[in-house]
Each structure stands twice: as C-alpha cells, then as structure tokens.
Amino acid sequence: MSYRAPHIIVEGAVQYPLGELKGKQVLYDFEKMLTYLEAKGKLLFGKKFKIYREDREIIYKLCLYFIRDKERCSQYGIDIDKGVLLSGPVGCGKTSLMKLLKHMVPHKRPYQVIPCRNIVFSFNHIGYKAIEDYGNSQFFCFDDLGVEPTGRHFGKDCNVIGEILLSRYELFIDHGRKTHATTNLNARELEECYGNRVRSRMRELFNLIGFDRNTKDKRI
C-alpha cells in the first residue's frame, strides 16, 4: 500500500483497489471493499471466514465510518469524530469485524483490540497502573464490554473498565482521541454494570452500531 494510493491495498502479490482516485479524493466502491474484507478475513481468521449477506448493511455503515464519509454517515446518525460501540449477540462477528476493518484504512493510525477481562486481570496483578495504561493516549477497542469480572487489588474492589471509560472520555473531550468497543449487552445492562455517570459519558464517546438481536451465532 502506498500512502499516495490509499485506495489500493496490497496483500502478498495481490492488489485490491477499494475504489478510484479522483484528484485527491478516493471514490470508494462498497463491493470492492467487501471483496478485500473477505480476502483479508480469510488471511486473518482462516479459510472458513466469509461475509454474510445479512450482515452487509451493518458492514456498509462501518465502512462509511472508517473511510470517514461524513455525508453518508450523517444520514445514519453516525458521527465520524466519535468512536464505535458495536453491539450484538454472542458469536455474531463483532470482534472479527473490529479486528478486520482497521486494515481497510492502513494510512490511519491503528487501534489495538483488547479483551476487557484481560484488562481486569492486569489490574488484579499490577493495580491502578493498568487503569493509567489503558486510559492513556493510545488507540484501543475494548472487546466484550460489560461481562468482565470486578477488579480486585490488595483487597479493594474496583470497576476497572468503568474507571477507564471515564479516563477515555476526558481524553476524547480534551484531545479528540477515539475509543472503540464491542458488547453483547444493551443500554440498560451497560448502565447496571457501570452506573448512570459512565453510561452518559458513553453516549458522547460512542456511535452505537448494532447487529439485529436475532443474528445467528456464526461460530456454531
């Protein structure tokens, strides 16, 4: 991939054009983006990976967000300056999509996908430094928000992810730094996990993009 040609991605010996370059503007083609995403998905997750027809609409919205198509995003109520909270039932493919889509814009600074339970385990081991580490200025996607255990360090309980989300909110307000996340939970359940204060901050931090609750488990 050349930074002069952000619409062309090279994987091995194969070039994947995602659209056409018109002057300094890339005119993206959704079908070409899907072709690349399926090919890259097979490289990342194995030959059984596929893009499901019923997921095309949600992938379309995510593609618009990642290529920063402000006009079309606004039609879907998506703010390109916020992060993404991708919600949906277990096994619908949320984590895979968030790991995959960042490869479509290799000229943008990538984010790390980190399971929330791993962050809590880190807190249990090293304490509040873990909150500092993940509340800092790096780019993260927090995976499986809301189902992680309560943190406990030297006998003190801590809602680790809730504290990190408050730090990420300050980072967003002060520096425009985005945070992404995935979750199986709905808004009420998230509020039960983190409280009203964190939930209200999450509304400002994230665009909520959700799979249909009846989406099948693709891991079966």
Side-chain angles (χ1 to χ4, degrees), residues 157-211:
D157 287 352
C158 179
N159 190 327
V160 177
I161 302 300
E163 292 297 326
I164 288 172
L165 288 172
L166 290 174
S167 295
R168 300 297 301 185
Y169 172 78
E170 295 298 330
L171 201 60
F172 173 67
I173 294 299
D174 294 342
H175 304 289
R177 191 59 49 87
K178 294 179 188 177
T179 303
H180 304 306
T182 72
T183 187
N184 304 328
L185 305 185
N186 60 34
R188 178 184 55 79
E189 291 167 327
L190 286 170
E191 187 165 327
E192 287 175 4
C193 286
Y194 301 122
N196 182 57
R197 180 169 172 240
V198 173
R199 175 66 189 132
S200 70
R201 300 294 191 273
M202 289 174 68
R203 292 189 187 96
E204 295 184 62
L205 262 180
F206 298 119
N207 294 286
L208 177 59
I209 300 178
F211 280 87

Side-chain angles (χ1 to χ4, degrees), residues 91-205:
C92 68
K94 303 180 297 295
T95 304
S96 296
L97 280 178
M98 291 307 288
K99 287 181 177 179
L100 178 58
L101 279 155
K102 64 180 181 177
H103 294 282
M104 200 174 64
V105 283
H107 52 294
K108 308 281 187 188
R109 186 173 173 181
Y111 52 83
Q112 289 179 266
V113 179
I114 308 286
C116 288
R117 61 183 288 112
N118 290 11
I119 297 173
V120 174
F121 294 154
S122 177
F123 172 84
N124 293 347
H125 180 58
I126 65 173
Y128 287 87
K129 185 179 185 303
I131 294 176
E132 293 175 17
D133 289 345
Y134 291 102
N136 71 9
S137 58
Q138 293 186 50
F139 290 80
F140 294 109
C141 174
F142 299 126
D143 192 33
D144 267 348
L145 203 69
V147 295
E148 72 280 354
T150 299
R152 190 170 181 83
H153 184 67
F154 281 111
K156 291 186 177 181
D157 287 352
C158 179
N159 190 327
V160 177
I161 302 300
E163 292 297 326
I164 288 172
L165 288 172
L166 290 174
S167 295
R168 300 297 301 185
Y169 172 78
E170 295 298 330
L171 201 60
F172 173 67
I173 294 299
D174 294 342
H175 304 289
R177 191 59 49 87
K178 294 179 188 177
T179 303
H180 304 306
T182 72
T183 187
N184 304 328
L185 305 185
N186 60 34
R188 178 184 55 79
E189 291 167 327
L190 286 170
E191 187 165 327
E192 287 175 4
C193 286
Y194 301 122
N196 182 57
R197 180 169 172 240
V198 173
R199 175 66 189 132
S200 70
R201 300 294 191 273
M202 289 174 68
R203 292 189 187 96
E204 295 184 62
L205 262 180

